[in-house]
């Protein structure tokens, strides 16, 4: 999918981002949304069932997860461009720095989704509350802490 | 610092983690804690002033950040081992999978700290609420969303 052209008020950097550390994907998510344009802006806890699929050996690190109602999923937004400094959001407010926005476009596109755990099926968790595109890589799962209710 | 030996109930994987994506550090944090043993378990919003130092060109992405009281810092816990599947926490409860714990030891040690923004000084943000070791690399900053109050 081609990137949208920048608005005149927006700014990208030509300085290449370093490669200071590496990430290992531990699985991926399965959702009904096949493109970024299909994805909801924010996940809804009453949204459709989605799956979190763990890759071996990381399915061996799920013991005790069934005790938690809410989970934090750390996802890697692999489709996002990583060079924007200033964004002029279509919802208004004028241009501002990437760090003053929750846009998925970021130098290191790690996204945290708070989801409700519906069921544990071996290496597969059924959850609600996701907004990511189908196939988005998974970096981590943590038990939920914050009573934030998206949607 | 040598790693603590595993307890008999704990389990690590010998399967090497992949290198599926790369991270570029955009800066680092300056804190009073020089080793992991010195760090508080959880940051406190009434804790000491710490600094978030942005590396060029990412100091050009701060415009508008001064409007936010709370920020989410995404940090890379570069000192943490990444191979543990099952941990038996010293605070009790018995062994459980890494994904059922909020331990800093994780396959991809991305940590989110919610901090209070005290001041913006050019490429340097003064914040409170950190618990990371001095020099911890910075991956991202997002405006705060969740009214979570640590400490």
């Amino acid at each position: 999918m081609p990137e949208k052209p920048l608005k005149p008020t927006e700014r990208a950097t030509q300085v290449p981002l370093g490669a200071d550390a590496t990430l290992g994907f531990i699985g991926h998510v399965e959702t009904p949304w096949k493109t970024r344009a299909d994805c909801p802006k924010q996940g809804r806890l009453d949204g459709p069932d989605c799956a979190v699929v763990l890759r071996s050996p990381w399915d061996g690190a799920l013991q005790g997860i069934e005790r938690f109602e809410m989970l934090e999923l750390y996802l890697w937004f692999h489709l996002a461009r990583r060079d924007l400094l200033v964004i002029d959001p279509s919802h208004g407010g004028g241009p501002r720095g990437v760090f003053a926005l929750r846009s998925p476009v970021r130098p290191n596109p790690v996204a945290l989704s708070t989801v409700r755990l519906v069921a544990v099926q071996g290496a597969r968790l059924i959850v609600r509350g996701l907004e990511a595109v189908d196939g988005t890589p998974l970096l981590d799962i943590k038990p939920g802490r914050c009573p934030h209710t998206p949607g």
Side-chain angles (χ1 to χ4, degrees), chain A:
Chain A
M1 187 158 97
E3 294 294 345
K4 275 189 299 187
L6 292 192
K7 300 174 193 166
T9 46
E10 294 186 320
R11 202 151 60 85
T13 176
Q14 272 75 52
V15 180
L17 193 68
D20 299 303
T22 59
L23 295 169
F25 300 156
I26 60 163
H28 67 277
V29 298
E30 292 177 2
T31 76
W33 308 295
K34 301 300 175 195
T35 71
R36 281 178 290 174
D38 295 338
C39 293
K41 277 271 179 197
Q42 199 169 32
R44 297 176 57 97
L45 294 181
D46 60 354
D49 280 3
C50 297
V52 179
V53 184
L54 275 290
R55 188 187 281 187
S56 173
W58 297 102
D59 54 338
L62 290 173
Q63 183 187 343
I65 206 164
E66 67 284 350
R67 272 178 273 173
F68 296 96
E69 184 191 351
M70 304 298 292
L71 299 176
E72 294 176 359
L73 304 182
Y74 284 69
L75 302 171
W76 182 248
F77 276 4
H78 58 308
L79 301 176
R81 65 187 288 174
R82 300 177 64 178
D83 61 342
L84 291 194
L85 295 171
V86 175
I87 296 181
D88 195 349
S90 50
H91 57 72
R96 73 204 83 158
V98 161
F99 302 136
L101 275 170
R102 296 188 64 90
S103 157
V105 171
R106 323 199 64 82
N108 294 296
V110 175
L112 190 156
S113 282
T114 302
V115 298
R116 172 167 289 142
L117 179 59
V118 176
V120 180
Q121 301 170 347
R124 213 176 154 81
L125 311 178
I126 308 303
V127 303
R128 289 190 186 159
L130 269 176
E131 74 291 340
V133 76
D134 187 46
T136 297
L138 178 69
L139 300 176
D140 201 2
I141 304 173
K142 294 183 193 177
R145 168 179 59 174
C146 145
H148 164 67
T149 306

